[in-house]
Amino acid sequence: LHGECVSIGCVYEAVLARDLGQLAPSAVGRISRVFKAYGLPTTCPLKYLRLDELMGKMALDKKNAAGRVRVTILKSIGSSFDHPQPVDTALIRRLLSPSLLVLPPAAPPSGAVLVPGSKSISNRVLLMAAMGRGTVAIRGLLQSDDTQVMIAALAAMGAGPFSWLDGGNILQLTGLAGKFAPPTEPLYLGNAGTAARFLTTCATLIHAPGAATTLTGDGRMKQRPID
């Protein structure tokens, strides 16, 4: 279906932009989670992944010029190069291939690697920022399902507003100085154990007579002990 194809293509283009050094890895995760949230696929099913056939059809795309495949390349979420950029077909093949053979390099590798943030540390930083006073800007935050449910839960308890700056590289929020408000709905935490443990404690800090805070999660979370 057209919608499913668009979803898969958008994620692959984001991955391609990341591999070309144009898009932050964290942005790829954000884009992928948006499509997944709407129940759309983000990878091509293996039964349809006929690589030679796909590359042949891609060679006929109207964006191509001078015999080269051209692709829309993101620079950040909501921003791309003004015109489709030429991309080496070998890179596209590698992106679409269901498996890769990794060989040892001929010479010792040298370079810089940007390591994603820690899920555990990211959720701790979010909590400290929400409990603090004033506006905080966080750089290097891991963007994952666990940090997303933490952000949503803190917002439901009155923290924020949360704003993504610098193309999604910085999260800015305003703390509550420890004055959490009772959420109006149960806090769904997925399978985020760190969020569940910390937010259970935060719920006890809410001073609202008669108010109750319910924390819930997926099936596995409901089986896990919270000590």
Side-chain angles (χ1 to χ4, degrees):
L1 299 177
H2 183 264
E4 282 76 359
C5 291
V6 169
S7 172
I8 294 169
C10 286
V11 174
Y12 278 150
E13 283 193 343
V15 174
L16 180 61
R18 180 203 63 192
D19 291 350
L20 291 171
Q22 298 294 336
L23 184 65
S26 58
V28 179
R30 289 181 65 193
I31 292 170
S32 179
R33 286 194 298 276
V34 167
F35 286 113
K36 287 181 178 178
Y38 284 95
L40 292 166
T42 56
T43 58
C44 182
L46 288 177
K47 64 179 179 179
Y48 299 122
L49 194 53
R50 298 183 288 272
L51 191 53
D52 290 335
E53 183 178 338
L54 286 174
M55 294 301 298
K57 292 182 177 180
M58 193 173 294
L60 303 176
D61 192 279
K62 62 183 179 182
K63 295 189 297 294
N64 298 345
R68 299 197 65 184
V69 173
R70 293 178 180 264
V71 182
T72 298
I73 302 297
L74 289 172
K75 293 189 286 187
S76 63
I77 293 179
S79 175
S80 67
F81 286 90
D82 291 338
H83 303 286
Q85 301 296 301
V87 177
D88 189 345
T89 55
L91 182 58
I92 298 175
R93 278 185 169 273
R94 188 180 72 188
L95 173 67
L96 296 175
S97 295
S99 61
L100 295 173
L101 177 63
V102 180
L103 300 174
S110 176
V113 177
L114 182 62
V115 179
S118 160
K119 175 181 66 176
S120 179
I121 293 175
S122 292
N123 271 343
R124 284 169 165 81
V125 170
L126 284 169
L127 182 60
M128 288 189 292
M131 293 186 69
R133 181 181 287 108
T135 301
V136 178
I138 305 171
R139 181 184 293 275
L141 188 79
L142 178 69
Q143 298 182 31
S144 67
D145 291 341
D146 283 16
T147 54
Q148 188 59 47
V149 296
M150 176 65 102
I151 291 171
L154 292 172
M157 297 170 74
F162 292 81
S163 302
W164 289 102
L165 308 175
D166 188 27
N169 293 316
I170 297 175
L171 178 65
Q172 180 175 287
L173 69 144
T174 302
L176 293 166
K179 299 177 181 178
F180 289 106
T184 58
E185 297 180 356
L187 302 178
Y188 178 78
L189 304 178
N191 195 28
T194 303
R197 289 177 174 86
F198 288 160
L199 291 174
T200 298
T201 303
C202 289
T204 67
L205 302 177
I206 297 175
H207 298 290
T213 302
T214 300
L215 280 71
T216 187
D218 62 15
R220 181 70 185 98
M221 173 61 76
K222 293 175 182 179
Q223 297 173 345
R224 296 172 60 181
I226 303 296
D227 299 323

